[in-house]
Amino acid sequence: MSSGTPQDSLERDEPALAATPVVRSRLARALWAGAGLVCVGLGLIGVVVPGLPTTGFMILAAAAFSRSSPRLEQWVLGLPKVGPAVQAYRAGLGMPMKAKVTAIAMMSIAITISAFLLDSWVVRGVIIAAGVIGTVVILRTPTRRDDPQVGATS
């Protein structure tokens, strides 16, 4: 019987699931699944809306599904365009420089346009603060140079 470590999983050629166990409470699982589905929805919207981070929402969706539904978690991890980026993020491999530059540029454009179009200073402040936080997260994420295709989605 194995100890269940990620290394053991790699040695047996099994996919390593997230370290976070599925919660036992039905209500908590439903809430986590709902949060994951909301993140998937926002990620899908992000495919067509500049500045909305598709990969970031899919990373959050996979995290939520890891607590509620291993099947949905594996579905996110198996998505052709974004799955490898989520897996790379989870493995601590980071983002390619091109993806970082693209993400920060698109966020900056969307934030600037929003700031000019909105009348409310409060909403402007929230949008700018969210953009600053997003930029800091991207800049603090390690830079990967090995595979430019992984994580190329905004």
Side-chain angles (χ1 to χ4, degrees):
M1 183 167 188
S2 72
S3 63
T5 65
Q7 183 61 34
D8 291 338
S9 177
L10 291 175
E11 290 170 2
R12 291 189 309 267
D13 293 328
E14 295 175 6
L17 291 177
T20 307
V22 174
V23 294
R24 294 183 190 264
S25 163
R26 290 176 78 179
L27 176 61
R29 274 197 321 269
L31 291 173
W32 280 114
L37 291 171
V38 168
C39 288
V40 167
L42 291 171
L44 293 174
I45 292 169
V47 170
V48 294
V49 175
L52 200 58
T54 300
T55 304
F57 283 117
M58 292 303 190
I59 289 169
L60 291 174
F65 290 147
S66 75
R67 290 164 177 81
S68 62
S69 172
R71 183 177 58 85
L72 289 173
E73 177 188 19
Q74 289 304 311
W75 172 74
V76 170
L77 296 175
L79 291 172
K81 297 285 186 184
V82 77
V86 174
Q87 292 175 20
Y89 180 83
R90 281 183 158 187
L93 300 177
M95 292 174 68
M97 182 59 77
K98 181 178 178 182
K100 284 184 166 189
V101 169
T102 301
I104 291 172
M106 295 302 287
M107 284 188 337
S108 298
I109 291 168
I111 290 165
T112 302
I113 291 171
S114 297
F116 279 114
L117 294 178
L118 296 170
D119 292 330
S120 170
W121 284 99
V122 173
V123 176
R124 284 180 184 172
V126 169
I127 289 173
I128 291 169
V132 169
I133 291 168
T135 301
V136 168
V137 168
I138 290 170
L139 292 175
R140 292 190 67 193
T141 301
T143 302
R144 183 180 73 243
R145 302 190 195 297
D146 60 342
D147 185 1
Q149 295 302 313
V150 176
T153 307
S154 64

